[in-house]
Amino acid sequence: MNYENILTEINEGIGTITINRPKQLNALNRQTIEELHDAFDQFDKQDTVRVIIVTGSGDKAFVAGADIKEFMNFDAEQGRGLAREGQALLFDFVQNLDTPVIAAVNGFALGGGLELALASHIRIASDNAKVGLPEVSLGVIPGYGGTQRLAQIIGKGRAMEMILTAEMKDATTALKYGMVTEVVPLENLMETAVKKAKKLMRNSPMAQSLAIKSVNASYYQEGFKEEVNLFGQAFTTQDFKEGTQAFVERRKPNFTGK
Ligand code: CO8
């Protein structure tokens, strides 16, 4: 597969995937999700790749979310389809890979961007990182596993507060919440991720893949399916139309609750 929206490289056993749509702050459109699926799949199948690092291009964003402009005119069935397909191709797929995945979060990780980081096995952030699930400010809910994985990782109370306020948290707060395990200056982010990858490479890849499966075993829940249903339901509402329209018109939304 030829990639238009991502860059890949393999160096000393580390496969790096860089999401490369800097003008759109690396927002995940359908094509980018398909390319990411292919790249993760190819790396996972190669014995020479022992660890995968995923990051965003530029110094502003890891990923600023799913591509709002792509789904704003979807109906409920299309919304559900997009969420279901995206979860299968990317978010569940990454979570269940045999090869450990490190997310190097280099700026905004919002919506689908934070969800990609949450699906990764290890998260490291730069000090300028801003994380959040802003979907309710658009009249929709997280649809790529965020309502499930955020609560699993930082606990229900903090997850509920983040999701309902739609607020971004800075890197220090993300560290305090246990959402990331390390925060470093932006210029040291990739070298820190590589160092971590090299540490992982000292251990048995077979045992690591079993450990990933075992840790994940507690977290398969009906909640993921319910998220897809409720995500689709939001697409039938006036608030969703208003929220996404307000985003592209760069104004505050006027929600009516309908
Ligand atoms: N989708 C599409 N385009 C985007 C997105 C996005 N998520 N984020 C930024 N962009 C675009 C902007 O429209 C802008 O494009 P243009 O120059 O053509 O107008 C360009 O990127 C640069 O962005 P800004 O000018 O807004 O940059 P600022 O520095 O002013 O602001 C922010 C940065 C705060 C990150 C701001 O861009 C922002 O709020 N972005 C949206 C964040 C967001 O709401 N993300 C969540 C999206 S919803 C989601 O992820 C749902 C997940 C589940 C989906 C399941 C199936 C679809």
PDB file of all heavy atoms in Angstrom, residues 23-25 27 60 64-69 71 82-83 108 110-112 115 134-135 138 143-144 168 231 247 250, ligand 1:
ATOM      1  N   LYS A  23      -1.222  20.051   8.368  1.00  0.00           N
ATOM      2  CA  LYS A  23      -2.139  21.199   8.148  1.00  0.00           C
ATOM      3  C   LYS A  23      -3.485  20.974   8.808  1.00  0.00           C
ATOM      4  O   LYS A  23      -4.184  21.911   9.169  1.00  0.00           O
ATOM      5  CB  LYS A  23      -2.327  21.430   6.646  1.00  0.00           C
ATOM      6  CG  LYS A  23      -1.159  22.161   6.054  1.00  0.00           C
ATOM      7  CD  LYS A  23      -1.486  22.676   4.648  1.00  0.00           C
ATOM      8  CE  LYS A  23      -0.221  23.206   4.003  1.00  0.00           C
ATOM      9  NZ  LYS A  23      -0.061  22.767   2.620  1.00  0.00           N
ATOM     10  N   GLN A  24      -3.895  19.698   8.930  1.00  0.00           N
ATOM     11  CA  GLN A  24      -5.160  19.375   9.616  1.00  0.00           C
ATOM     12  C   GLN A  24      -4.874  18.886  11.033  1.00  0.00           C
ATOM     13  O   GLN A  24      -5.677  18.166  11.623  1.00  0.00           O
ATOM     14  CB  GLN A  24      -5.913  18.286   8.860  1.00  0.00           C
ATOM     15  CG  GLN A  24      -6.443  18.676   7.492  1.00  0.00           C
ATOM     16  CD  GLN A  24      -5.385  18.543   6.386  1.00  0.00           C
ATOM     17  OE1 GLN A  24      -4.341  17.931   6.585  1.00  0.00           O
ATOM     18  NE2 GLN A  24      -5.650  19.117   5.243  1.00  0.00           N
ATOM     19  N   LEU A  25      -3.726  19.238  11.550  1.00  0.00           N
ATOM     20  CA  LEU A  25      -3.287  18.787  12.873  1.00  0.00           C
ATOM     21  C   LEU A  25      -3.389  17.262  12.999  1.00  0.00           C
ATOM     22  O   LEU A  25      -3.776  16.725  14.035  1.00  0.00           O
ATOM     23  CB  LEU A  25      -4.069  19.497  13.990  1.00  0.00           C
ATOM     24  CG  LEU A  25      -3.995  21.033  13.978  1.00  0.00           C
ATOM     25  CD1 LEU A  25      -4.714  21.616  15.181  1.00  0.00           C
ATOM     26  CD2 LEU A  25      -2.554  21.523  13.956  1.00  0.00           C
ATOM     27  N   ALA A  27      -5.441  15.156  11.857  1.00  0.00           N
ATOM     28  CA  ALA A  27      -6.787  14.576  12.087  1.00  0.00           C
ATOM     29  C   ALA A  27      -6.931  13.268  11.301  1.00  0.00           C
ATOM     30  O   ALA A  27      -6.417  13.124  10.193  1.00  0.00           O
ATOM     31  CB  ALA A  27      -7.861  15.579  11.665  1.00  0.00           C
ATOM     32  N   LYS A  60       3.056  20.485  16.973  1.00  0.00           N
ATOM     33  CA  LYS A  60       1.828  21.041  17.547  1.00  0.00           C
ATOM     34  C   LYS A  60       0.843  19.948  17.962  1.00  0.00           C
ATOM     35  O   LYS A  60       0.129  20.084  18.951  1.00  0.00           O
ATOM     36  CB  LYS A  60       1.179  21.946  16.500  1.00  0.00           C
ATOM     37  CG  LYS A  60       0.163  22.880  17.085  1.00  0.00           C
ATOM     38  CD  LYS A  60      -0.282  23.935  16.106  1.00  0.00           C
ATOM     39  CE  LYS A  60      -1.544  24.598  16.600  1.00  0.00           C
ATOM     40  NZ  LYS A  60      -2.103  25.518  15.637  1.00  0.00           N
ATOM     41  N   ALA A  64      -5.368  15.699  16.334  1.00  0.00           N
ATOM     42  CA  ALA A  64      -6.429  16.557  16.904  1.00  0.00           C
ATOM     43  C   ALA A  64      -7.813  15.943  16.762  1.00  0.00           C
ATOM     44  O   ALA A  64      -8.820  16.652  16.804  1.00  0.00           O
ATOM     45  CB  ALA A  64      -6.391  17.937  16.272  1.00  0.00           C
ATOM     46  N   GLY A  65      -7.876  14.632  16.543  1.00  0.00           N
ATOM     47  CA  GLY A  65      -9.187  13.969  16.563  1.00  0.00           C
ATOM     48  C   GLY A  65      -9.539  13.321  15.254  1.00  0.00           C
ATOM     49  O   GLY A  65      -8.761  13.347  14.294  1.00  0.00           O
ATOM     50  N   ALA A  66     -10.722  12.741  15.233  1.00  0.00           N
ATOM     51  CA  ALA A  66     -11.275  12.259  13.975  1.00  0.00           C
ATOM     52  C   ALA A  66     -11.539  13.483  13.109  1.00  0.00           C
ATOM     53  O   ALA A  66     -11.700  14.595  13.628  1.00  0.00           O
ATOM     54  CB  ALA A  66     -12.562  11.498  14.227  1.00  0.00           C
ATOM     55  N   ASP A  67     -11.565  13.292  11.802  1.00  0.00           N
ATOM     56  CA  ASP A  67     -11.734  14.410  10.886  1.00  0.00           C
ATOM     57  C   ASP A  67     -13.198  14.860  10.881  1.00  0.00           C
ATOM     58  O   ASP A  67     -14.062  14.225  10.277  1.00  0.00           O
ATOM     59  CB  ASP A  67     -11.282  14.019   9.477  1.00  0.00           C
ATOM     60  CG  ASP A  67     -11.137  15.243   8.587  1.00  0.00           C
ATOM     61  OD1 ASP A  67     -12.003  16.143   8.657  1.00  0.00           O
ATOM     62  OD2 ASP A  67     -10.158  15.305   7.831  1.00  0.00           O
ATOM     63  N   ILE A  68     -13.455  15.955  11.592  1.00  0.00           N
ATOM     64  CA  ILE A  68     -14.828  16.433  11.807  1.00  0.00           C
ATOM     65  C   ILE A  68     -15.516  16.715  10.475  1.00  0.00           C
ATOM     66  O   ILE A  68     -16.692  16.423  10.284  1.00  0.00           O
ATOM     67  CB  ILE A  68     -14.812  17.706  12.689  1.00  0.00           C
ATOM     68  CG1 ILE A  68     -14.246  17.373  14.076  1.00  0.00           C
ATOM     69  CG2 ILE A  68     -16.210  18.309  12.822  1.00  0.00           C
ATOM     70  CD1 ILE A  68     -13.882  18.576  14.916  1.00  0.00           C
ATOM     71  N   LYS A  69     -14.727  17.272   9.541  1.00  0.00           N
ATOM     72  CA  LYS A  69     -15.334  17.665   8.251  1.00  0.00           C
ATOM     73  C   LYS A  69     -15.790  16.445   7.458  1.00  0.00           C
ATOM     74  O   LYS A  69     -16.667  16.538   6.617  1.00  0.00           O
ATOM     75  CB  LYS A  69     -14.340  18.503   7.444  1.00  0.00           C
ATOM     76  CG  LYS A  69     -14.099  19.860   8.099  1.00  0.00           C
ATOM     77  CD  LYS A  69     -12.827  20.530   7.619  1.00  0.00           C
ATOM     78  CE  LYS A  69     -12.459  21.673   8.549  1.00  0.00           C
ATOM     79  NZ  LYS A  69     -11.096  22.152   8.375  1.00  0.00           N
ATOM     80  N   PHE A  71     -17.157  13.604   8.790  1.00  0.00           N
ATOM     81  CA  PHE A  71     -18.353  12.903   9.285  1.00  0.00           C
ATOM     82  C   PHE A  71     -19.529  13.820   9.648  1.00  0.00           C
ATOM     83  O   PHE A  71     -20.587  13.350  10.045  1.00  0.00           O
ATOM     84  CB  PHE A  71     -18.012  11.950  10.441  1.00  0.00           C
ATOM     85  CG  PHE A  71     -17.531  12.619  11.721  1.00  0.00           C
ATOM     86  CD1 PHE A  71     -18.405  13.315  12.544  1.00  0.00           C
ATOM     87  CD2 PHE A  71     -16.207  12.503  12.132  1.00  0.00           C
ATOM     88  CE1 PHE A  71     -17.983  13.905  13.726  1.00  0.00           C
ATOM     89  CE2 PHE A  71     -15.764  13.099  13.316  1.00  0.00           C
ATOM     90  CZ  PHE A  71     -16.653  13.795  14.101  1.00  0.00           C
ATOM     91  N   LEU A  82     -18.903   4.134  10.828  1.00  0.00           N
ATOM     92  CA  LEU A  82     -17.560   4.721  10.917  1.00  0.00           C
ATOM     93  C   LEU A  82     -16.893   4.338  12.232  1.00  0.00           C
ATOM     94  O   LEU A  82     -15.711   3.969  12.269  1.00  0.00           O
ATOM     95  CB  LEU A  82     -17.671   6.242  10.801  1.00  0.00           C
ATOM     96  CG  LEU A  82     -16.385   6.997  10.528  1.00  0.00           C
ATOM     97  CD1 LEU A  82     -15.825   6.662   9.150  1.00  0.00           C
ATOM     98  CD2 LEU A  82     -16.625   8.500  10.608  1.00  0.00           C
ATOM     99  N   ALA A  83     -17.650   4.426  13.311  1.00  0.00           N
ATOM    100  CA  ALA A  83     -17.089   4.100  14.625  1.00  0.00           C
ATOM    101  C   ALA A  83     -16.725   2.609  14.696  1.00  0.00           C
ATOM    102  O   ALA A  83     -15.632   2.245  15.133  1.00  0.00           O
ATOM    103  CB  ALA A  83     -18.082   4.460  15.726  1.00  0.00           C
ATOM    104  N   PHE A 108      -1.310  18.259  20.820  1.00  0.00           N
ATOM    105  CA  PHE A 108      -2.728  17.946  21.010  1.00  0.00           C
ATOM    106  C   PHE A 108      -3.009  16.461  20.761  1.00  0.00           C
ATOM    107  O   PHE A 108      -2.641  15.922  19.714  1.00  0.00           O
ATOM    108  CB  PHE A 108      -3.601  18.743  20.038  1.00  0.00           C
ATOM    109  CG  PHE A 108      -3.672  20.209  20.321  1.00  0.00           C
ATOM    110  CD1 PHE A 108      -3.127  21.135  19.431  1.00  0.00           C
ATOM    111  CD2 PHE A 108      -4.297  20.684  21.473  1.00  0.00           C
ATOM    112  CE1 PHE A 108      -3.198  22.502  19.690  1.00  0.00           C
ATOM    113  CE2 PHE A 108      -4.372  22.046  21.738  1.00  0.00           C
ATOM    114  CZ  PHE A 108      -3.814  22.957  20.851  1.00  0.00           C
ATOM    115  N   LEU A 110      -6.497  14.807  20.951  1.00  0.00           N
ATOM    116  CA  LEU A 110      -7.898  15.101  21.247  1.00  0.00           C
ATOM    117  C   LEU A 110      -8.795  14.077  20.566  1.00  0.00           C
ATOM    118  O   LEU A 110      -8.466  13.582  19.481  1.00  0.00           O
ATOM    119  CB  LEU A 110      -8.248  16.502  20.746  1.00  0.00           C
ATOM    120  CG  LEU A 110      -7.385  17.636  21.322  1.00  0.00           C
ATOM    121  CD1 LEU A 110      -7.727  18.965  20.649  1.00  0.00           C
ATOM    122  CD2 LEU A 110      -7.567  17.750  22.828  1.00  0.00           C
ATOM    123  N   GLY A 111      -9.933  13.797  21.167  1.00  0.00           N
ATOM    124  CA  GLY A 111     -10.897  12.889  20.545  1.00  0.00           C
ATOM    125  C   GLY A 111     -10.215  11.604  20.087  1.00  0.00           C
ATOM    126  O   GLY A 111      -9.517  10.935  20.865  1.00  0.00           O
ATOM    127  N   GLY A 112     -10.384  11.286  18.780  1.00  0.00           N
ATOM    128  CA  GLY A 112      -9.777  10.081  18.223  1.00  0.00           C
ATOM    129  C   GLY A 112      -8.267  10.012  18.427  1.00  0.00           C
ATOM    130  O   GLY A 112      -7.693   8.919  18.449  1.00  0.00           O
ATOM    131  N   GLU A 115      -7.821   8.767  21.830  1.00  0.00           N
ATOM    132  CA  GLU A 115      -8.276   7.365  21.800  1.00  0.00           C
ATOM    133  C   GLU A 115      -7.210   6.449  21.202  1.00  0.00           C
ATOM    134  O   GLU A 115      -7.033   5.317  21.638  1.00  0.00           O
ATOM    135  CB  GLU A 115      -9.602   7.274  21.030  1.00  0.00           C
ATOM    136  CG  GLU A 115     -10.736   7.896  21.849  1.00  0.00           C
ATOM    137  CD  GLU A 115     -12.042   8.057  21.081  1.00  0.00           C
ATOM    138  OE1 GLU A 115     -12.008   8.692  20.011  1.00  0.00           O
ATOM    139  OE2 GLU A 115     -13.077   7.534  21.536  1.00  0.00           O
ATOM    140  N   PRO A 134     -13.091  16.088  23.502  1.00  0.00           N
ATOM    141  CA  PRO A 134     -13.987  17.249  23.367  1.00  0.00           C
ATOM    142  C   PRO A 134     -15.311  16.952  22.673  1.00  0.00           C
ATOM    143  O   PRO A 134     -16.064  17.886  22.354  1.00  0.00           O
ATOM    144  CB  PRO A 134     -13.159  18.223  22.515  1.00  0.00           C
ATOM    145  CG  PRO A 134     -12.210  17.380  21.758  1.00  0.00           C
ATOM    146  CD  PRO A 134     -12.019  16.081  22.486  1.00  0.00           C
ATOM    147  N   GLU A 135     -15.636  15.676  22.461  1.00  0.00           N
ATOM    148  CA  GLU A 135     -16.783  15.346  21.599  1.00  0.00           C
ATOM    149  C   GLU A 135     -18.094  15.981  22.041  1.00  0.00           C
ATOM    150  O   GLU A 135     -18.889  16.402  21.195  1.00  0.00           O
ATOM    151  CB  GLU A 135     -16.955  13.821  21.508  1.00  0.00           C
ATOM    152  CG  GLU A 135     -15.944  13.134  20.590  1.00  0.00           C
ATOM    153  CD  GLU A 135     -14.628  12.794  21.254  1.00  0.00           C
ATOM    154  OE1 GLU A 135     -14.371  13.290  22.385  1.00  0.00           O
ATOM    155  OE2 GLU A 135     -13.856  12.028  20.667  1.00  0.00           O
ATOM    156  N   LEU A 138     -19.128  19.043  20.575  1.00  0.00           N
ATOM    157  CA  LEU A 138     -19.573  18.967  19.167  1.00  0.00           C
ATOM    158  C   LEU A 138     -20.946  18.313  19.061  1.00  0.00           C
ATOM    159  O   LEU A 138     -21.434  18.047  17.959  1.00  0.00           O
ATOM    160  CB  LEU A 138     -18.579  18.117  18.358  1.00  0.00           C
ATOM    161  CG  LEU A 138     -17.143  18.632  18.222  1.00  0.00           C
ATOM    162  CD1 LEU A 138     -16.229  17.508  17.754  1.00  0.00           C
ATOM    163  CD2 LEU A 138     -17.092  19.793  17.245  1.00  0.00           C
ATOM    164  N   GLY A 143     -16.224   7.939  20.048  1.00  0.00           N
ATOM    165  CA  GLY A 143     -16.726   6.759  19.340  1.00  0.00           C
ATOM    166  C   GLY A 143     -15.655   5.742  19.010  1.00  0.00           C
ATOM    167  O   GLY A 143     -15.925   4.732  18.371  1.00  0.00           O
ATOM    168  N   TYR A 144     -14.432   6.036  19.423  1.00  0.00           N
ATOM    169  CA  TYR A 144     -13.339   5.104  19.140  1.00  0.00           C
ATOM    170  C   TYR A 144     -12.799   4.489  20.428  1.00  0.00           C
ATOM    171  O   TYR A 144     -11.600   4.350  20.610  1.00  0.00           O
ATOM    172  CB  TYR A 144     -12.223   5.824  18.376  1.00  0.00           C
ATOM    173  CG  TYR A 144     -12.532   6.085  16.912  1.00  0.00           C
ATOM    174  CD1 TYR A 144     -12.058   7.228  16.266  1.00  0.00           C
ATOM    175  CD2 TYR A 144     -13.263   5.178  16.148  1.00  0.00           C
ATOM    176  CE1 TYR A 144     -12.316   7.462  14.914  1.00  0.00           C
ATOM    177  CE2 TYR A 144     -13.526   5.404  14.800  1.00  0.00           C
ATOM    178  CZ  TYR A 144     -13.061   6.539  14.186  1.00  0.00           C
ATOM    179  OH  TYR A 144     -13.301   6.754  12.844  1.00  0.00           O
ATOM    180  N   MET A 168      -9.601  20.226  27.978  1.00  0.00           N
ATOM    181  CA  MET A 168      -8.268  19.647  27.760  1.00  0.00           C
ATOM    182  C   MET A 168      -7.487  19.688  29.068  1.00  0.00           C
ATOM    183  O   MET A 168      -7.640  20.620  29.857  1.00  0.00           O
ATOM    184  CB  MET A 168      -7.496  20.484  26.753  1.00  0.00           C
ATOM    185  CG  MET A 168      -8.079  20.477  25.383  1.00  0.00           C
ATOM    186  SD  MET A 168      -6.954  21.428  24.316  1.00  0.00           S
ATOM    187  CE  MET A 168      -8.139  22.151  23.205  1.00  0.00           C
ATOM    188  N   PHE A 231     -23.051   6.530  20.037  1.00  0.00           N
ATOM    189  CA  PHE A 231     -22.360   7.438  19.119  1.00  0.00           C
ATOM    190  C   PHE A 231     -23.252   7.673  17.892  1.00  0.00           C
ATOM    191  O   PHE A 231     -23.488   8.815  17.490  1.00  0.00           O
ATOM    192  CB  PHE A 231     -21.021   6.826  18.701  1.00  0.00           C
ATOM    193  CG  PHE A 231     -20.208   7.665  17.761  1.00  0.00           C
ATOM    194  CD1 PHE A 231     -19.469   8.749  18.213  1.00  0.00           C
ATOM    195  CD2 PHE A 231     -20.171   7.361  16.411  1.00  0.00           C
ATOM    196  CE1 PHE A 231     -18.715   9.526  17.334  1.00  0.00           C
ATOM    197  CE2 PHE A 231     -19.425   8.130  15.523  1.00  0.00           C
ATOM    198  CZ  PHE A 231     -18.698   9.213  15.989  1.00  0.00           C
ATOM    199  N   PHE A 247     -18.183  24.281  14.711  1.00  0.00           N
ATOM    200  CA  PHE A 247     -16.738  24.060  14.622  1.00  0.00           C
ATOM    201  C   PHE A 247     -16.189  24.609  13.306  1.00  0.00           C
ATOM    202  O   PHE A 247     -15.217  25.366  13.304  1.00  0.00           O
ATOM    203  CB  PHE A 247     -16.380  22.570  14.764  1.00  0.00           C
ATOM    204  CG  PHE A 247     -14.913  22.294  14.533  1.00  0.00           C
ATOM    205  CD1 PHE A 247     -13.962  22.583  15.505  1.00  0.00           C
ATOM    206  CD2 PHE A 247     -14.473  21.782  13.310  1.00  0.00           C
ATOM    207  CE1 PHE A 247     -12.605  22.373  15.268  1.00  0.00           C
ATOM    208  CE2 PHE A 247     -13.117  21.566  13.068  1.00  0.00           C
ATOM    209  CZ  PHE A 247     -12.186  21.859  14.054  1.00  0.00           C
ATOM    210  N   ARG A 250     -16.198  28.289  13.094  1.00  0.00           N
ATOM    211  CA  ARG A 250     -15.365  28.896  14.137  1.00  0.00           C
ATOM    212  C   ARG A 250     -16.184  29.799  15.071  1.00  0.00           C
ATOM    213  O   ARG A 250     -15.846  30.949  15.343  1.00  0.00           O
ATOM    214  CB  ARG A 250     -14.214  29.705  13.519  1.00  0.00           C
ATOM    215  CG  ARG A 250     -13.214  28.829  12.781  1.00  0.00           C
ATOM    216  CD  ARG A 250     -12.101  29.631  12.182  1.00  0.00           C
ATOM    217  NE  ARG A 250     -11.077  28.759  11.616  1.00  0.00           N
ATOM    218  CZ  ARG A 250     -10.046  28.266  12.282  1.00  0.00           C
ATOM    219  NH1 ARG A 250      -9.871  28.566  13.554  1.00  0.00           N
ATOM    220  NH2 ARG A 250      -9.186  27.478  11.683  1.00  0.00           N
TER     221      ARG A 250
HETATM  222  N1  CO8 B   1     -10.963  17.499  12.140  1.00  0.00           N
HETATM  223  C1  CO8 B   1     -10.793  18.207  11.002  1.00  0.00           C
HETATM  224  N2  CO8 B   1     -10.003  19.278  10.912  1.00  0.00           N
HETATM  225  C2  CO8 B   1      -9.358  19.674  12.027  1.00  0.00           C
HETATM  226  C3  CO8 B   1      -9.485  19.005  13.256  1.00  0.00           C
HETATM  227  C4  CO8 B   1     -10.333  17.847  13.279  1.00  0.00           C
HETATM  228  N3  CO8 B   1     -10.496  17.123  14.382  1.00  0.00           N
HETATM  229  N4  CO8 B   1      -8.737  19.621  14.186  1.00  0.00           N
HETATM  230  C5  CO8 B   1      -8.156  20.667  13.549  1.00  0.00           C
HETATM  231  N5  CO8 B   1      -8.516  20.686  12.249  1.00  0.00           N
HETATM  232  C6  CO8 B   1      -8.109  21.654  11.215  1.00  0.00           C
HETATM  233  C7  CO8 B   1      -8.801  22.987  11.406  1.00  0.00           C
HETATM  234  O1  CO8 B   1     -10.098  22.973  10.834  1.00  0.00           O
HETATM  235  C8  CO8 B   1      -7.842  23.905  10.667  1.00  0.00           C
HETATM  236  O2  CO8 B   1      -8.075  23.753   9.282  1.00  0.00           O
HETATM  237  P1  CO8 B   1      -8.203  25.060   8.327  1.00  0.00           P
HETATM  238  O3  CO8 B   1      -6.847  25.718   8.458  1.00  0.00           O
HETATM  239  O4  CO8 B   1      -8.455  24.471   6.981  1.00  0.00           O
HETATM  240  O5  CO8 B   1      -9.323  25.866   8.892  1.00  0.00           O
HETATM  241  C9  CO8 B   1      -6.471  23.305  10.957  1.00  0.00           C
HETATM  242  O6  CO8 B   1      -6.723  21.940  11.363  1.00  0.00           O
HETATM  243  C10 CO8 B   1      -5.726  23.986  12.094  1.00  0.00           C
HETATM  244  O7  CO8 B   1      -6.575  24.036  13.242  1.00  0.00           O
HETATM  245  P2  CO8 B   1      -6.929  25.378  14.031  1.00  0.00           P
HETATM  246  O8  CO8 B   1      -6.784  26.565  13.123  1.00  0.00           O
HETATM  247  O9  CO8 B   1      -8.238  25.186  14.717  1.00  0.00           O
HETATM  248  O10 CO8 B   1      -5.727  25.400  15.084  1.00  0.00           O
HETATM  249  P3  CO8 B   1      -5.745  26.105  16.503  1.00  0.00           P
HETATM  250  O11 CO8 B   1      -4.334  26.097  16.983  1.00  0.00           O
HETATM  251  O12 CO8 B   1      -6.487  27.383  16.467  1.00  0.00           O
HETATM  252  O13 CO8 B   1      -6.608  25.105  17.452  1.00  0.00           O
HETATM  253  C11 CO8 B   1      -7.296  22.952  18.278  1.00  0.00           C
HETATM  254  C12 CO8 B   1      -6.143  23.809  17.728  1.00  0.00           C
HETATM  255  C13 CO8 B   1      -7.693  23.487  19.667  1.00  0.00           C
HETATM  256  C14 CO8 B   1      -6.782  21.536  18.393  1.00  0.00           C
HETATM  257  C15 CO8 B   1      -8.508  23.050  17.335  1.00  0.00           C
HETATM  258  O14 CO8 B   1      -8.070  22.747  16.010  1.00  0.00           O
HETATM  259  C16 CO8 B   1      -9.624  22.086  17.669  1.00  0.00           C
HETATM  260  O15 CO8 B   1     -10.384  22.328  18.579  1.00  0.00           O
HETATM  261  N6  CO8 B   1      -9.748  20.983  16.897  1.00  0.00           N
HETATM  262  C17 CO8 B   1     -10.813  20.027  17.050  1.00  0.00           C
HETATM  263  C18 CO8 B   1     -10.590  19.151  18.233  1.00  0.00           C
HETATM  264  C19 CO8 B   1     -11.720  18.182  18.377  1.00  0.00           C
HETATM  265  O16 CO8 B   1     -12.845  18.543  18.652  1.00  0.00           O
HETATM  266  N7  CO8 B   1     -11.400  16.899  18.215  1.00  0.00           N
HETATM  267  C20 CO8 B   1     -12.342  15.845  18.383  1.00  0.00           C
HETATM  268  C21 CO8 B   1     -12.926  15.482  17.079  1.00  0.00           C
HETATM  269  S1  CO8 B   1     -14.285  14.388  17.259  1.00  0.00           S
HETATM  270  C22 CO8 B   1     -13.590  12.919  17.403  1.00  0.00           C
HETATM  271  O17 CO8 B   1     -12.407  12.751  17.426  1.00  0.00           O
HETATM  272  C23 CO8 B   1     -14.583  11.819  17.482  1.00  0.00           C
HETATM  273  C24 CO8 B   1     -13.894  10.512  17.774  1.00  0.00           C
HETATM  274  C25 CO8 B   1     -14.799   9.422  17.501  1.00  0.00           C
HETATM  275  C26 CO8 B   1     -15.106   9.373  16.055  1.00  0.00           C
HETATM  276  C27 CO8 B   1     -15.679   8.103  15.663  1.00  0.00           C
HETATM  277  C28 CO8 B   1     -16.091   8.029  14.244  1.00  0.00           C
HETATM  278  C29 CO8 B   1     -15.981   9.268  13.439  1.00  0.00           C
END
